[in-house]
Amino acid sequence: MSIIEKNVSEIAHMVSSGQVKAEEVMVAFIKQSEKLNPKLNAFITMNDQAIQQAKEVDAKIAKKQNPGRLAGVPVAVKDMLCTKNLKTTAGSKILENFVPTYSATVVNRLEAEGAITIGKANQDEFAMGSSNETSAYGDCKNPWSLEHVPGGSSGGSAAAVAAKMSPLAIGTDTGGSIRQPASFCGVVGVKPTYGRVSRYGIVAYASSLDQAGPLTPTVRDSALSLEVMSGKDHLDMTSSNQAVPEWSKNLNPNLKGMKIGLPKEYFTDKLSPNSAAAIDRAKEIVKDSGAEFVEVSIPYTKLGVPMYYIIATCEASSNLARYDGVRYGFRADFSKDRPDDIDDFYSRTRGEGFGPEVKRRIMLGTYALSSGYYDAYYKKACQVRRMLRQNFIDAFQKCDVLLSPVYTTPAFKLGSRIQNPVDMYFNDVFTTSTNLAGLPGMSLPAGFSKEGLPIGIQLTAGHFEEQKMLNVGYAIEQSLKLNEVPSVIR
Ligand code: GLN
């Protein structure tokens, strides 16, 4: 079995016990990435220091120093996360030459435990999208079928893990961007409780919704990686000082006594028959593992998408105001045609630097925040958000974990939805509410469609109850034992 077949926990164990060198691991994954990136476009930038950094992990081991819990594990970092001395574009032309002078806290924490950034993963521009098609650096393809999208916005992260270009990837999830691509690419993806993970050094899209999390081959890998990423950071005031449990050590597939809620609003006729079948299989496993089912209701589900697209665009319009051609990255070429005034300077830079989806959202957000509309849109959305959150809190009085679909369908074809943004938005119906309520959620592989595309299911838990959700995921994973590999590496 070659090293790229191994998962995060196995690699960390093999490296720290001296069975394999971190350098060999890195070389193997770089080779796989060089072979497949021309087909998949999962990486925007490779880290040319990766092998050197792997050697440093090996040197630590040779000196009998503790190499960390993720010793020698390559990590594909979504291009939303700042990486010191390594280009960070957020998938946008406006940051095409931005090289940060510092790394995101999450990246520092992973590296402090021995993980090594292999490269920067492709994504939708500023994480706005569900298909990776809004990236300024080209579409990323789904490793299971090159005609299909990998999902978004963390499409490159999910594709890299599925195609064994990296055992671990980091994504960000504002309204589903870890869970949905994880489900399209057949990997595990976890979005933690809002506040679990520091947002410091992560390019801001919608600050009250954004969280980073892992994408990995297995539930245990995600649990372990999230342990490393989580915890209070004095550089992010919204990071929580809740203790970080050892989720990976506490995994327990025995679900006796657990109550699994089925939110009735999530089981609509929008759901494809393939996805419904995968859910039914997961339900059987959960039942055999000792859990009981209860039907619950999240009445405000139908408002999740409209609420999300108001709140997220409002926050984005403010967050993206900083890209003005002065402070970061790209500036329009004024060498032949000088700007008339400062407004002309900004608008030409922003007009050329941002893609169409980002412009649409900035306009939506500024409109909803403008005087006369603020109360009707933004304020109203915030009020309803509070009520949605209460719906979930009430539901978690009756159950421990919610089981639901992640997305209405398996991966769709490249080009098939990008012309119809509203349609694209409405398909985020099962993921956006989780972020609005600040809850942890995850997606894990649960089967395949007739066409051989992966299908994921979603688990959601109460605030800071990641362990319960991971346990249910672990029970399903252990029983399903899916081991198919994507066509691109077969
Ligand atoms: N698909 C959603 C959007 O387009 C979610 C994106 C995300 O989570 N970053 O905004």
Side-chain angles (χ1 to χ4, degrees):
M1 199 185 199
S2 92
I3 193 78
I4 60 168
E5 312 282 319
K6 304 280 184 198
N7 62 40
V8 173
S9 321
E10 290 166 342
I11 292 173
H13 173 73
M14 288 170 75
V15 170
S16 51
S17 62
Q19 292 173 54
V20 63
K21 285 208 153 42
E23 182 184 353
E24 287 168 58
V25 173
M26 187 52 83
V27 167
F29 281 100
I30 290 178
K31 236 169 132 184
Q32 175 80 346
S33 298
E34 284 172 348
K35 186 168 121 201
L36 292 182
N37 209 45
K39 278 190 193 156
L40 295 174
N41 198 24
F43 285 112
I44 296 177
T45 309
M46 296 306 286
N47 176 16
D48 58 13
Q49 296 301 307
I51 293 179
Q52 184 50 40
Q53 289 161 358
K55 285 183 183 164
E56 286 161 23
V57 172
D58 289 330
K60 257 192 177 170
I61 294 169
K63 281 190 247 155
K64 304 255 180 297
Q65 290 167 357
N66 180 1
R69 289 176 281 172
L70 295 175
V73 174
V75 51
V77 178
K78 186 179 185 180
D79 223 10
M80 281 298 259
L81 286 89
C82 285
T83 40
K84 187 175 176 178
N85 299 332
L86 186 59
K87 195 171 73 172
T88 298
T89 69
S92 181
K93 182 177 172 187
I94 211 152
L95 288 174
E96 67 180 0
N97 49 21
F98 174 53
V99 180
T101 52
Y102 64 96
S103 288
T105 296
V106 163
V107 172
N108 283 334
R109 288 190 175 170
L110 289 163
E111 290 181 351
E113 290 291 337
I116 302 150
T117 301
I118 179 169
K120 300 300 294 288
N122 202 350
Q123 58 163 98
D124 282 294
E125 185 175 2
F126 285 104
M128 298 174 184
S130 309
S131 64
N132 211 121
E133 290 165 290
T134 74
S135 169
Y137 301 91
D139 302 337
C140 173
K141 312 275 182 347
N142 190 313
W144 296 85
S145 154
L146 299 180
E147 288 164 13
H148 287 79
V149 302
S153 64
S154 311
S157 301
V161 174
K164 306 194 186 300
M165 298 159 85
S166 179
L168 166 63
I170 302 306
T172 62
D173 190 313
T174 305
S177 280
I178 291 176
R179 290 160 287 156
Q180 187 256 27
S183 83
F184 282 14
C185 292
V187 301
V188 177
V190 179
K191 173 230 169 287
T193 306
Y194 185 81
R196 260 294 182 208
V197 169
S198 166
R199 289 180 296 108
Y200 179 75
I202 301 179
V203 174
Y205 160 21
S207 310
S208 77
L209 302 159
D210 298 341
Q211 273 289 287
L215 293 100
T216 59
T218 70
V219 174
R220 184 181 298 284
D221 291 346
S222 274
L224 173 65
S225 312
L226 192 59
E227 274 163 46
V228 170
M229 295 164 67
S230 296
K232 179 75 188 164
D233 174 18
H234 71 278
L235 298 170
D236 173 4
M237 285 189 310
T238 63
S239 67
S240 162
N241 48 21
Q242 285 267 341
V244 179
E246 292 192 301
W247 295 302
S248 61
K249 291 205 179 120
N250 300 337
L251 283 177
N252 180 0
N254 181 353
L255 307 181
K256 213 167 157 24
M258 267 189 119
K259 290 210 166 71
I260 309 295
L262 302 169
K264 65 174 193 228
E265 292 80 4
Y266 285 49
F267 294 89
T268 62
D269 50 6
K270 274 193 136 211
L271 194 61
S272 75
N274 288 316
S275 308
I279 300 240
D280 286 341
R281 206 164 332 117
K283 274 166 65 179
E284 264 169 47
I285 296 172
V286 167
K287 201 166 139 217
D288 292 344
S289 310
E292 283 168 47
F293 289 105
V294 284
E295 192 185 86
V296 295
S297 173
I298 311 289
Y300 281 99
T301 299
K302 59 180 183 300
L303 297 179
V305 168
M307 227 188 289
Y308 168 82
Y309 278 96
I310 289 176
I311 292 173
T313 57
C314 286
E315 294 185 20
S317 71
S318 164
N319 276 326
L320 271 58
R322 72 189 73 175
Y323 305 108
D324 55 7
V326 178
R327 285 170 287 189
Y328 304 89
F330 172 81
R331 174 182 298 177
D333 180 6
F334 295 113
S335 59
K336 294 196 187 73
D337 183 11
R338 300 202 34 90
D340 302 335
D341 53 23
I342 189 75
D343 287 337
D344 188 36
F345 174 90
Y346 290 154
S347 61
R348 273 161 64 191
T349 293
R350 287 165 66 83
E352 289 172 34
F354 289 135
E357 182 59 30
V358 173
K359 287 181 190 161
R360 178 176 350 239
R361 294 195 188 197
I362 292 174
M363 283 191 276
L364 264 170
T366 25
Y367 177 81
L369 287 178
S370 54
S371 85
Y373 296 105
Y374 180 95
D375 284 357
Y377 294 111
Y378 181 68
K379 193 168 158 206
K380 183 62 86 192
C382 292
Q383 287 165 336
V384 187
R385 177 181 189 177
R386 185 81 204 173
M387 291 155 90
L388 174 73
R389 186 174 188 273
Q390 194 57 46
N391 281 175
F392 278 103
I393 291 172
D394 294 345
F396 285 117
Q397 298 289 317
K398 299 194 195 108
C399 67
D400 301 290
V401 172
L402 301 176
L403 186 134
S404 73
V406 186
Y407 203 70
T408 47
T409 59
F412 47 90
K413 283 221 162 113
L414 279 153
S416 64
R417 293 199 183 157
I418 192 75
Q419 299 309 335
N420 187 347
V422 175
D423 183 41
M424 189 86 97
Y425 298 172
F426 269 99
N427 279 291
D428 290 336
V429 50
F430 303 134
T431 50
T432 48
S433 299
T434 315
N435 303 68
L436 289 162
L439 299 165
M442 69 185 282
S443 169
L444 81 149
F448 294 90
S449 70
K450 280 199 302 293
E451 302 76 33
L453 293 165
I455 295 174
I457 51 166
Q458 177 168 236
L459 301 169
T460 312
H463 296 109
F464 299 102
E465 300 276 21
E466 281 87 353
Q467 187 75 57
K468 290 184 180 171
M469 161 182 107
L470 290 163
N471 285 353
V472 177
Y474 187 60
I476 296 172
E477 175 187 72
Q478 295 302 302
S479 164
L480 275 178
K481 292 200 173 46
L482 300 172
N483 54 12
E484 285 83 349
V485 293
S487 53
V488 75
I489 54 174
R490 243 176 260 151

